[in-house]
Amino acid sequence: MIDLKEQTRLSLARPFQLLIDGRWTDVESGEALDVVNPADGGIIARIPAGGGADIDRAVIAARRAFESGPWPSMIPGERSRMLWRIADLIEARKEEFAELETLDNGKPIMMSTWVDVPASVAALRYWAGWCTKIAGETRAVDLPGEFLAMTLREPVGVVGLITPWNFPLMSAVSKLGPALAAGCTIILKPAEQTSLTALRLGEVILEAGVPPGVVNIVTGLGAVAGAALAEHGDVDKISFTGSTAVGKSLIGAARGNLKRLTLELGGKSPTIILPDADLKRAIPAAANSIFLNSGQICVAGSRLYVARERFDEVMEGLVKAAAKFRLGPGLDPATTMGPLVSDTQRRRVMDHIDSARGEGASIITGGNRVGDQGYFVDPTIICNVTPQMRVAREEIFGPVLVATPVDDPDELAALANDTEYGLSASIWTRDISAAYRLARKIRAGTITINTGSVAGPNLPFGGFKQSGWGRENGADGIESFTELKTVVTAL
């Protein structure tokens, strides 16, 4: 176990408040939520339990900042410098952010240090570059006379950002970056389980000089603060990452003012290993795809399809790979798999495993809760699963892999598509032509060939079917925070 840095201890010791209109303020109700360390179930802090009144104050501040504040009309280069400044400040405090993320979420400290924080910094710098590149076009007018016609990209307005608990800091900056670059003003509602880095990010945003009201942060329950934000009539757009069930509820909440929605939702992503695949690469990649971050990844390769002639070999390799993961508290540098984020999530994962047992599936490794403290579940591989079983159809969001042998390669596309989701897929083969043809048949937003998950702020990300609406990242991501205006002038 490592000792916390002094700044991390100070961060945890201070009273937490909401960030509204450039000031830290108490919650209207005076209520608070416990922040629980998933490694041992202990309470490490308390955060404000924001409600409808707090959301209303934040929206009023964001609307005022958008309509009469300097941010939307600020020259693009100045917005860019502020985003870059936020990135610099996070980087200067990378150890503190990493420790807060690990304490809050449970993930291994090495992952927070070398993945979450650096990726967040890189994303902000990427979006800083976009500030000067948002532009419209000139268009021809096919009518008698002489015209100048142009399109303009303008900020959509006040946006609500609702982020998940699996990658708290990364998710926050991946939404804040394009929204700020586009000139929007923001209310950020982080997941109630993991709000510590969002609140620390608020301090950094103020230090960077972002004007009051541009970024407001309201912590609280999704069913209370999140719902109030989604339903608010003066919010122009919601960008949400989370479960498909909650995403569907947001559609109804948006009806009042037809606010724009970007929904990055669930997945049940297939990993496909063809007969000629390089198993020395495919097996560890398949294991990491489902076991990293304790399987709490929306693109986790939770369904595995393997050519039958290689199935036993792949299973043997995966069992060995699963055994190499060392479970423990995230702050222990030796830990490679931390706990699940909460007792609720642990019980949900175990319910799926128990359901598979009851339906006759075979647990070939794992399948157990680990330890008396914390929310640990060991890496689990399940075989002899029928397509109708819950573990084969529902998103589990834990370290649970469902493996199936396949006799006919022509069935792979149908098997991969036999889900209500369509977020990602991974194909392993030496035959690139076969991989490409299969990729064209699979209905998913991101497909990788001979590699695990690959993501970045420049790569469009989102899903088909019930995996969501719209795309984040890249040009598509920033355009989702704009409105397109046409201006025609007769000469």
Side-chain angles (χ1 to χ4, degrees), residues 199-365:
L199 292 168
R200 187 67 180 98
L201 178 61
E203 293 179 332
V204 165
I205 286 169
L206 294 181
E207 186 177 348
V210 175
V214 173
V215 178
N216 306 273
I217 303 175
V218 178
T219 58
L221 295 173
V224 179
L229 181 59
E231 294 169 0
H232 202 289
D234 210 19
V235 172
D236 300 300
K237 173 184 171 68
I238 293 289
S239 178
F240 169 79
T241 298
S243 72
T244 295
V246 175
K248 289 179 179 179
S249 73
L250 294 178
I251 297 171
R255 288 193 325 185
N257 65 340
L258 289 178
K259 57 173 62 70
R260 308 297 185 259
L261 291 177
T262 298
L263 304 174
E264 198 275 281
L265 308 177
K268 192 71 174 174
S269 301
T271 296
I272 297 169
I273 299 180
L274 295 175
D276 63 342
D278 181 354
L279 298 188
K280 290 182 180 179
R281 296 173 58 204
I283 289 173
N288 287 334
S289 178
I290 186 61
F291 298 140
L292 282 182
N293 208 41
S294 302
Q296 299 171 130
I297 304 176
C298 58
V299 295
S302 55
R303 292 184 295 147
L304 177 65
Y305 298 106
V306 185
R308 185 173 290 278
E309 59 265 39
R310 308 298 297 276
F311 187 76
D312 290 344
E313 185 179 0
V314 170
M315 288 301 100
E316 181 181 355
L318 283 172
V319 169
K320 290 179 180 178
K324 292 180 181 178
F325 281 89
R326 177 167 175 176
L327 274 68
L331 288 174
D332 185 342
T335 293
T336 56
M337 180 185 287
L340 297 172
V341 73
S342 65
D343 183 55
T344 298
Q345 186 62 16
R346 180 193 61 77
R347 286 188 279 109
R348 183 175 185 274
V349 171
M350 288 305 304
D351 179 62
H352 277 87
I353 294 171
D354 292 340
S355 171
R357 284 193 179 101
E359 292 179 293
S362 302
I363 313 294
I364 67 169
T365 191

Side-chain angles (χ1 to χ4, degrees), residues 5 8 83 92 120 130 192 226 231 248 259 301 336 338 340 344 367 371 376 411 419 446 456 479:
K5 303 297 181 186
T8 308
L83 279 169
S120 300
W130 263 104
E192 58 262 31
E231 294 169 0
K248 289 179 179 179
K259 57 173 62 70
T336 56
L340 297 172
T344 298
F376 296 92
E411 296 178 354
T419 173
T446 299
E479 286 181 358

Side-chain angles (χ1 to χ4, degrees), residues 388-472:
Q388 293 73 34
M389 291 183 183
R390 287 180 59 206
V391 288
R393 308 211 64 81
E394 298 179 10
E395 184 180 40
I396 301 173
F397 227 62
V400 181
L401 177 65
V402 174
T404 304
V406 178
D407 294 302
D408 184 358
D410 291 336
E411 296 178 354
L412 285 169
L415 289 169
N417 291 331
D418 185 22
T419 173
E420 63 188 26
Y421 301 108
L423 193 55
S424 70
S426 179
I427 302 168
W428 291 86
T429 177
R430 289 183 170 91
D431 187 341
I432 299 303
S433 295
Y436 176 76
R437 293 189 185 100
L438 181 56
R440 289 296 303 270
K441 295 177 181 178
I442 296 174
R443 292 180 52 77
T446 299
I447 297 175
T448 61
I449 298 172
N450 292 333
T451 183
S453 178
V454 176
N458 60 322
L459 297 175
F461 183 77
F464 288 25
K465 299 187 284 186
Q466 295 190 42
S467 285
W469 284 356
R471 293 293 181 270
E472 295 187 323

Side-chain angles (χ1 to χ4, degrees), residues 56-180:
D56 196 51
R57 288 192 293 142
V59 172
I60 290 170
R63 177 58 63 187
R64 183 168 55 245
F66 183 74
E67 300 295 346
S68 58
W71 188 256
S73 58
M74 185 180 290
I75 62 171
E78 184 60 25
R79 284 207 301 268
S80 177
R81 282 187 286 274
M82 285 196 185
L83 279 169
W84 200 277
R85 175 65 173 155
I86 295 169
D88 286 346
L89 290 170
I90 294 173
E91 189 171 53
R93 297 156 176 78
K94 61 183 179 182
E95 291 180 333
E96 177 192 352
F97 271 98
E99 289 185 345
L100 288 173
E101 198 80 325
T102 288
L103 276 171
D104 215 4
N105 170 273
K107 66 179 60 186
I109 187 65
M110 295 298 288
M111 188 171 184
S112 296
T113 302
W114 298 109
V115 177
D116 294 56
V117 177
S120 300
V121 170
L124 284 167
R125 288 174 177 160
Y126 172 82
W127 292 115
W130 263 104
C131 294
T132 56
K133 299 171 183 65
I134 303 171
E137 299 175 332
T138 58
R139 302 288 181 96
V141 177
D142 187 23
L143 291 171
E146 197 173 0
F147 300 90
L148 174 63
M150 67 180 73
T151 62
L152 304 174
R153 286 278 175 189
E154 298 184 349
V156 72
V158 174
V159 300
L161 309 178
I162 303 176
T163 56
W165 45 256
N166 57 336
F167 289 94
L169 181 63
M170 287 173 61
S171 297
V173 301
S174 72
K175 295 181 185 295
L176 279 165
L180 290 173

